[in-house]
Amino acid sequence: MTILAVDDEPIALDVLCRAIREAVPNCALFPFTDPWAALERVKGGAFYPDVAFLDVEMFDLTGLELAKRLKDIYSNVNIVFVTGYAAYMGEAFHLHASGYVLKPAGTQAIRRELDDLRRPVKREDDGRLRVQCFG
């Protein structure tokens, strides 16, 4: 599972990443404190996240706007907003977000959101053979 985590506060990002690693130890995790850098990496094809955990209030680009742009690039991405404010829930679900976690993000909350994604992700440890072609 490929996971993008974006929060402009380094300490909050560290807490989020620890919770993600505990919930999904074998995931490919791409953390960013700069939403523009995260967007450019996805746009450039460096990786395509199955799930994006996004802070809502960020300095230069909000998590809501980042979610819209990520969906324009890769429509199958599951968006989970991680924020300290419950007030954004309505807007988040207008974007068809998969979930909403209030800070501080704990392992149980992350696991609960990953178990109930809008677009379920096949786990790599499901015992099936996986073939992926270029392009």
Side-chain angles (χ1 to χ4, degrees):
M1 180 181 299
T2 303
I3 299 176
L4 170 66
V6 184
D7 195 318
D8 63 344
E9 298 175 23
I11 293 171
L13 181 62
D14 186 51
V15 169
L16 175 60
C17 288
R18 273 193 250 155
I20 291 169
R21 287 257 183 241
E22 287 177 18
V24 192
N26 296 325
C27 72
L29 179 59
F30 295 88
F32 290 88
T33 55
D34 180 355
W36 289 107
L39 185 62
E40 287 304 313
R41 291 286 303 274
V42 173
K43 224 188 245 186
F47 65 96
Y48 294 104
D50 297 308
V51 184
F53 287 91
L54 309 177
D55 182 22
V56 175
E57 285 194 353
M58 292 187 279
F59 176 68
D60 200 22
L61 179 68
T62 70
L64 297 166
E65 183 59 35
L66 178 57
K68 289 176 195 171
R69 292 175 186 228
L70 286 172
K71 283 186 166 281
D72 287 343
I73 298 167
Y74 184 61
S75 62
N76 287 332
V77 64
N78 288 287
I79 303 292
V80 178
F81 291 104
V82 182
T83 184
Y85 306 98
Y88 295 107
M89 278 190 188
E91 247 182 294
F93 287 103
H94 278 108
L95 291 172
H96 303 287
S98 287
Y100 201 90
V101 175
L102 290 174
K103 288 181 181 180
T107 304
Q108 294 295 63
I110 298 298
R111 191 173 289 128
R112 188 172 42 250
E113 294 303 328
L114 290 173
D115 287 343
D116 192 31
L117 292 172
R118 180 176 292 274
R119 292 174 188 85
V121 177
K122 291 181 181 171
R123 306 273 177 154
E124 302 227 358
D125 57 355
D126 65 2
R128 297 181 190 175
L129 177 65
R130 179 174 177 231
V131 177
Q132 182 174 347
C133 300
F134 294 101

